[in-house]
Short mmCIF file of all heavy atoms in Angstrom, two decimals:
data_model
loop_
_atom_site.label_atom_id
_atom_site.label_comp_id
_atom_site.label_asym_id
_atom_site.label_seq_id
_atom_site.Cartn_x
_atom_site.Cartn_y
_atom_site.Cartn_z
N ASN U 1825 8.05 -9.12 5.79
CA ASN U 1825 8.95 -10.26 5.56
C ASN U 1825 8.16 -11.55 5.76
O ASN U 1825 7.62 -11.80 6.83
CB ASN U 1825 10.12 -10.19 6.55
CG ASN U 1825 11.15 -11.27 6.30
OD1 ASN U 1825 10.83 -12.45 6.36
ND2 ASN U 1825 12.39 -10.87 6.04
N LEU U 1826 8.09 -12.37 4.73
CA LEU U 1826 7.27 -13.58 4.77
C LEU U 1826 7.70 -14.53 5.89
O LEU U 1826 6.85 -15.10 6.58
CB LEU U 1826 7.33 -14.30 3.40
CG LEU U 1826 6.45 -15.55 3.26
CD1 LEU U 1826 4.98 -15.20 3.50
CD2 LEU U 1826 6.65 -16.17 1.89
N VAL U 1827 9.00 -14.69 6.07
CA VAL U 1827 9.49 -15.61 7.11
C VAL U 1827 9.08 -15.11 8.51
O VAL U 1827 8.58 -15.88 9.34
CB VAL U 1827 11.03 -15.75 7.03
CG1 VAL U 1827 11.55 -16.61 8.19
CG2 VAL U 1827 11.42 -16.37 5.69
N VAL U 1828 9.28 -13.82 8.74
CA VAL U 1828 8.89 -13.23 10.03
C VAL U 1828 7.38 -13.32 10.23
O VAL U 1828 6.90 -13.62 11.33
CB VAL U 1828 9.37 -11.76 10.12
CG1 VAL U 1828 8.88 -11.11 11.41
CG2 VAL U 1828 10.88 -11.67 10.03
N ALA U 1829 6.64 -13.07 9.16
CA ALA U 1829 5.18 -13.15 9.23
C ALA U 1829 4.72 -14.55 9.60
O ALA U 1829 3.81 -14.73 10.43
CB ALA U 1829 4.54 -12.74 7.91
N MET U 1830 5.35 -15.56 9.03
CA MET U 1830 5.02 -16.94 9.37
C MET U 1830 5.35 -17.28 10.82
O MET U 1830 4.59 -17.98 11.50
CB MET U 1830 5.77 -17.90 8.43
CG MET U 1830 5.35 -17.84 6.97
SD MET U 1830 3.62 -18.34 6.76
CE MET U 1830 3.74 -20.09 7.06
N GLN U 1831 6.45 -16.75 11.30
CA GLN U 1831 6.84 -16.97 12.70
C GLN U 1831 5.81 -16.31 13.64
O GLN U 1831 5.43 -16.91 14.65
CB GLN U 1831 8.24 -16.42 12.95
CG GLN U 1831 9.36 -17.19 12.27
CD GLN U 1831 10.70 -16.49 12.37
OE1 GLN U 1831 10.79 -15.30 12.68
NE2 GLN U 1831 11.77 -17.23 12.09
N LYS U 1832 5.39 -15.10 13.27
CA LYS U 1832 4.39 -14.40 14.09
C LYS U 1832 3.03 -15.12 14.04
O LYS U 1832 2.33 -15.20 15.05
CB LYS U 1832 4.24 -12.95 13.61
CG LYS U 1832 5.42 -12.06 13.98
CD LYS U 1832 5.17 -10.64 13.57
CE LYS U 1832 6.32 -9.72 14.02
NZ LYS U 1832 6.10 -8.31 13.61
N MET U 1833 2.72 -15.65 12.88
CA MET U 1833 1.47 -16.39 12.73
C MET U 1833 1.49 -17.65 13.61
O MET U 1833 0.48 -17.98 14.26
CB MET U 1833 1.25 -16.76 11.27
CG MET U 1833 -0.01 -17.59 11.02
SD MET U 1833 -1.55 -16.70 11.37
CE MET U 1833 -1.62 -15.61 9.93
N GLU U 1834 2.63 -18.33 13.62
CA GLU U 1834 2.75 -19.52 14.44
C GLU U 1834 2.59 -19.19 15.93
O GLU U 1834 1.91 -19.89 16.67
CB GLU U 1834 4.14 -20.17 14.19
CG GLU U 1834 4.30 -21.52 14.85
CD GLU U 1834 5.66 -22.16 14.51
OE1 GLU U 1834 6.31 -21.71 13.54
OE2 GLU U 1834 6.05 -23.09 15.23
N ARG U 1835 3.22 -18.08 16.34
CA ARG U 1835 3.11 -17.66 17.74
C ARG U 1835 1.67 -17.23 18.06
O ARG U 1835 1.14 -17.54 19.13
CB ARG U 1835 4.08 -16.50 18.00
CG ARG U 1835 4.09 -16.10 19.48
CD ARG U 1835 4.97 -14.91 19.75
NE ARG U 1835 4.69 -14.37 21.09
CZ ARG U 1835 4.66 -13.09 21.37
NH1 ARG U 1835 4.93 -12.19 20.47
NH2 ARG U 1835 4.38 -12.69 22.60
N MET U 1836 1.05 -16.56 17.11
CA MET U 1836 -0.33 -16.10 17.31
C MET U 1836 -1.27 -17.28 17.49
O MET U 1836 -2.13 -17.29 18.38
CB MET U 1836 -0.76 -15.26 16.10
CG MET U 1836 -2.09 -14.56 16.27
SD MET U 1836 -2.56 -13.62 14.81
CE MET U 1836 -3.59 -14.83 14.01
#
Side-chain angles (χ1 to χ4, degrees):
N1825 184 301
L1826 183 59
V1827 174
V1828 175
M1830 292 297 290
Q1831 290 171 344
K1832 287 184 176 180
M1833 178 65 75
E1834 188 177 344
R1835 185 183 166 219
M1836 189 181 95

